[in-house]
Amino acid sequence: MSKLLLNLRLVLDDEIEDVRAMLDENRIEYYETKPSRWGISHGAIWLSNDGDLPEAKRLMAIYQGNRQARARAEYEAGQRDGTGETFADVWRREPLKVLLAAAAVIVLLGLVALPAILLRG
């Protein structure tokens, strides 16, 4: 019976390619399911043989640790040399998204405070 290795929800394309290459390199048989047309399913990578699951999980843990270390190093390098993304960069690139997020926070804070305001009065 097939075993799920990786749900592809919010997984970047380069990470999917890396996982495919890792599985191919280690001769682990797998197949992929594609995302559904309406976005209900995001697709996945499945292992064909149950016996490969422990090895695949071990390899995934190593890969994810290396990817995390690489991403952290890139972030820290960007912060040191001033090329890292700042709030001002996000504001310039997507002002509507920032405003909508701020409005959502204000509305949610108002909803949280509403019971206290109603009980007070």
Side-chain angles (χ1 to χ4, degrees):
M1 185 171 183
S2 299
K3 294 288 184 179
L4 176 66
L5 178 65
L6 181 63
N7 184 336
L8 299 179
R9 180 180 199 159
L10 302 177
V11 177
L12 301 174
D13 290 338
D14 68 316
E15 186 173 1
I16 296 169
E17 289 298 322
D18 290 346
V19 171
R20 286 181 192 133
M22 175 192 66
L23 293 172
D24 289 339
E25 180 180 307
N26 289 282
R27 294 186 175 94
I28 296 176
E29 291 182 34
Y30 67 96
Y31 65 93
E32 291 183 53
T33 53
K34 300 296 179 193
S36 70
R37 183 175 298 172
W38 298 283
I40 295 171
S41 168
H42 296 278
I45 295 179
W46 298 82
L47 299 180
S48 299
N49 302 320
D50 289 353
D52 291 335
L53 186 61
E55 177 66 8
K57 283 189 173 188
R58 184 185 72 78
L59 292 169
M60 280 296 292
I62 293 168
Y63 167 73
Q64 288 174 337
N66 292 340
R67 186 174 176 93
Q68 178 186 19
R70 188 174 61 243
R72 183 169 287 144
E74 289 171 3
Y75 171 79
E76 290 171 355
Q79 294 299 311
R80 275 193 309 274
D81 62 20
T83 59
E85 187 174 59
T86 64
F87 178 75
D89 295 332
V90 176
W91 175 258
R92 279 190 292 271
R93 190 178 65 240
E94 299 180 88
L96 183 62
K97 187 175 182 180
V98 172
L99 288 173
L100 288 174
V105 168
I106 291 168
V107 167
L108 290 174
L109 287 174
L111 289 173
V112 168
L114 187 62
I117 293 168
L118 292 175
L119 287 174
R120 197 167 156 241

